[in-house]
Amino acid sequence: MIIQKYALPAGTEFLGIFDVVSGVFKGEFALPLAYENRVKDLLYPKLEASNCLSWLFPATILERNQFYMEFLPESDHYFVYSHAEYTHTQLQERLAQKGYSLLNSDQWEYMAGAGTRRLFRWGNELLIQKNQAGKLILEKMNQSNMFGLVIDTTKIRYELTSQLEQPKLEKAEVEKCHLIEKMLPLSTYYQTTHQVDVNQLVSPETYLYRKAILMVE
């Protein structure tokens, strides 16, 4: 298998980075002028003096079938993506046209665990304290696994597989009380109860997807 290192928001393709301080977009391709003007309208609104101190950059911006943006925490940048609305089936058809596939649940688990059989790909540590040891655990959780692939740990989105009934990861709506409940969605073998409806549009704010080229013998 050849697998994309980072999962992308559903229905998107990465375009580049927008710097909110300089107002400059950097990417492999130029951002269409209509998009750039709209981005600046959204990020630099004309505010009344009373609102200036309370205004914050939005965490995400979605202009359907145009572009999608995500603010990088602790930075001055947005990731900018093109966007097109798809159902789960339409997304798979679009990928197939380009020679890609989504992983099925078993393939996803093999990819995430990098071939190991551990419950958590980084080891057995669950308690993450605000000390050097906790910092090291976080680094292991967020860095590339032994296959060189990065798995999302934010618990704000599901990652799509080829099976409607078996997305991976979890969108945590309510904070769990017990440590194991909080950490279990990050397990390689965790199975959410969430299912993707066949007719729903897969929102980039709710779902991730990862391209793969599957070798067929």
Side-chain angles (χ1 to χ4, degrees), residues 11-43:
T12 71
E13 294 287 353
F14 184 69
L15 294 177
I17 296 175
F18 187 86
D19 188 318
V20 298
V21 176
S22 65
V24 173
F25 170 82
K26 294 181 180 180
E28 186 174 351
F29 305 101
L31 192 65
L33 182 59
Y35 291 7
E36 185 172 345
N37 290 337
R38 179 60 177 154
V39 166
K40 290 181 178 179
D41 287 342
L42 293 167
L43 295 183

Side-chain angles (χ1 to χ4, degrees), residues 43-173:
L43 295 183
Y44 311 117
K46 295 179 181 179
L47 300 172
E48 300 291 336
S50 58
N51 297 327
C52 288
L53 295 178
S54 60
W55 190 85
L56 297 172
F57 287 113
T60 62
I61 297 173
L62 174 59
E63 294 281 303
R64 288 182 172 83
N65 291 311
Q66 296 185 60
F67 62 86
Y68 174 67
M69 300 174 62
E70 287 188 348
F71 192 64
L72 277 65
E74 302 179 6
S75 78
D76 298 316
H77 302 92
Y78 277 90
F79 280 165
V80 184
Y81 307 84
S82 62
H83 177 257
E85 289 191 319
Y86 298 116
T87 64
H88 183 272
T89 299
Q90 290 169 339
L91 176 60
Q92 290 198 93
E93 290 172 348
R94 179 62 174 168
L95 291 175
Q97 290 172 2
K98 298 182 178 182
Y100 300 115
S101 304
L102 294 177
L103 301 171
N104 64 33
S105 180
D106 290 340
Q107 290 165 341
W108 192 95
E109 291 173 2
Y110 179 77
M111 172 276 300
T116 69
R117 295 182 179 274
R118 293 180 299 190
L119 186 61
F120 297 97
R121 62 186 177 277
W122 61 85
N124 299 319
E125 302 94 344
L126 296 182
L127 183 60
I128 305 172
Q129 301 182 17
K130 294 182 179 179
N131 54 23
Q132 185 61 27
K135 182 179 178 181
L136 292 174
I137 295 171
L138 281 174
E139 288 178 354
K140 287 193 290 184
M141 290 170 58
N142 294 315
Q143 69 187 7
S144 302
N145 67 13
M146 288 187 290
F147 284 170
L149 307 172
V150 176
I151 314 301
D152 184 73
T153 60
T154 59
K155 292 182 287 187
I156 61 172
R157 279 183 288 213
Y158 306 98
E159 185 169 330
L160 297 170
T161 70
S162 61
Q163 299 147 289
L164 283 167
E165 72 281 4
Q166 293 189 6
K168 304 302 290 186
L169 303 179
E170 183 70 83
K171 183 175 182 179
E173 303 286 356

